[in-house]
Every structure is written in C-alpha cells, then in structure tokens.
Amino acid sequence: MSDIRIRSVGDPFDDRQSLPLGIQVLTRAEAMGILGKGAIGRLDASVWENVLARLRRAGVGRHLPAIVPQSEGERERFVRQLQQLSDALEASPVPAAEGPRLDSLLGRELLARLLQVSAVSLRRYLAGERAVPDAVAARLHFLALVAGDLAGAYNDIGVRRWFDRPRTLLDGRSPAELLEAEWKPEDPGPRRVRDLAGALVWSPAT
C-alpha cells in the first residue's frame, strides 16, 4: 500500500498549483521505488528537502536548485521546477529500483506476464545477475508510472486486479490484454492503458 497519505500541507505547497504537482512527483517517485520506505503524511519544505535529496541520488533533477519561494516570482519558479521534476521522472527509467518495487506490489507472476518475460529471466534481473534490456526497462518504467497513477484510487490488491479487469473504455478488454507480446510504451494499446490510468488522477471514475 502507498505510504503517501497527505493529511496536511505547509509552505510552499499551500496553493492550488504547487500541491497537485508536488503530490504527482511524490506518487511517481514512490511507484518508481525512489523514495524508499516511510510514511509521508505532511507535505512541506522540510519533507520536500528530503524528497529532493532522494531524487538527486537516483539521478533525477540534479541540476535543479532547492527552492523555498519567498516571493511571487520565486513561487512561479518553484511551480516550474515541480513540473520539470515530474517530467524528468516520466523520462527516467530506474530499473534497479522499479523492479523490486513492482515485484512487491504486483507479485512475480503478474509482473513477468505484464513485462512479457519469463519468471526465470525476471528473477535474474531482480537479483542483478543479468542486465535489464532496454526494452524491458522501458516496460518496467511504464508499469511504474501506471502504478503511480493508480495509487490514489486503489489499494495494492485493487492495483493488481485493475490490470485483468475488462474495461468498457478499452472495448471490453483488460489493460493486460493490450500489453501484447513485445509491446512498447508508445504503441497504441499501451497508450490507451496509460490514458485510462491517468484519468484516475483527475477523476473519481474507475
């Protein structure tokens, strides 16, 4: 289950622009296995400093300065930084972190099936006995981003079941059925899956 349960916010996230972007960065980073363990119930400057340090250790956003806005101009810059971090997470596969995180969330059997790899190969990737091929790393990252979008609407069991439930918006097929052999994140089927999961970020519909 997600450890992100924001119950209170403080500066610099106490506005309508910073808060949703900050939560998006948190949920993506958690789904990618970057945040590690530890509940986050408040989002404020001190929490953000720790999150930014973890992102930098993972190689994300290292060029961005830590900003705690003191003026309106700096606040606008901070919002841009949050968007840059979210975009950077989207573009930055981290298979060494994402593999174990998804293995824990989805289970070995489901993860191997979604990745279109054998359970033996997946075990070797997770153990570091074999380098993760670029194509598999791209699928891992795609699944991590989908899991991040689902985290706000489902618990862990719900996330697992989501992939195999037929969906009207997918013409009666399940998300797993659209992740066909040798699929790539940019293929039409996976893009529909990502759009469906992403819609949950903005809508209570399931």
Side-chain angles (χ1 to χ4, degrees):
M1 182 177 292
S2 173
D3 287 331
I4 299 173
R5 292 286 186 272
I6 304 300
R7 297 180 177 87
S8 62
V9 298
D11 187 63
F13 293 94
D14 49 355
D15 67 75
R16 294 184 179 181
Q17 287 183 297
S18 301
L19 180 59
L21 283 171
I23 291 176
Q24 183 180 66
V25 169
L26 287 179
T27 54
R28 285 186 171 178
E30 182 190 43
M32 292 169 63
I34 292 175
L35 291 188
K37 296 183 178 181
I40 297 179
R42 177 175 173 80
L43 185 54
D44 58 17
S46 61
V47 170
W48 184 246
E49 183 178 353
N50 181 267
V51 169
L52 193 57
R54 290 176 181 268
L55 293 176
R56 286 171 172 164
R57 283 198 294 271
V60 178
R62 286 177 292 185
H63 67 292
L64 296 174
I67 299 173
V68 178
Q70 303 296 324
S71 66
E72 188 60 34
E74 289 180 342
R75 182 167 292 277
E76 292 176 0
R77 187 181 170 201
F78 180 66
V79 170
R80 289 196 300 272
Q81 182 191 79
L82 291 174
Q83 186 62 64
Q84 287 175 312
L85 283 171
S86 182
D87 293 345
L89 286 167
E90 172 115 21
S92 302
V94 190
E98 291 168 332
R101 169 60 180 158
L102 289 172
D103 184 50
S104 174
L105 174 64
L106 301 179
R108 188 71 50 88
E109 181 180 348
L110 176 58
L111 180 57
R113 175 158 57 90
L114 295 174
L115 290 173
Q116 298 288 327
V117 300
S118 70
V120 172
S121 292
L122 178 56
R123 178 185 62 78
R124 289 175 176 169
Y125 297 147
L126 294 175
E129 297 173 1
R130 181 185 296 177
V132 180
D134 288 350
V136 177
R139 292 179 203 145
L140 267 174
H141 187 53
F142 173 92
L143 293 174
L145 294 173
V146 168
D149 287 341
L150 297 177
Y154 297 96
N155 62 18
D156 289 0
I157 295 174
V159 171
R160 291 191 288 271
R161 290 178 174 174
W162 184 87
F163 285 97
D164 284 319
R165 281 185 58 190
R167 301 285 167 172
T168 301
L169 292 176
L170 300 179
D171 304 319
R173 303 175 70 187
S174 70
E177 289 179 284
L178 271 67
L179 304 180
E180 300 173 323
E182 303 300 319
W183 63 271
K184 300 180 180 64
E186 63 270 20
D187 290 341
R191 290 183 67 177
R192 292 179 69 187
V193 171
R194 182 75 196 279
D195 289 345
L196 182 64
L200 295 174
V201 177
W202 309 107
S203 169
T206 59

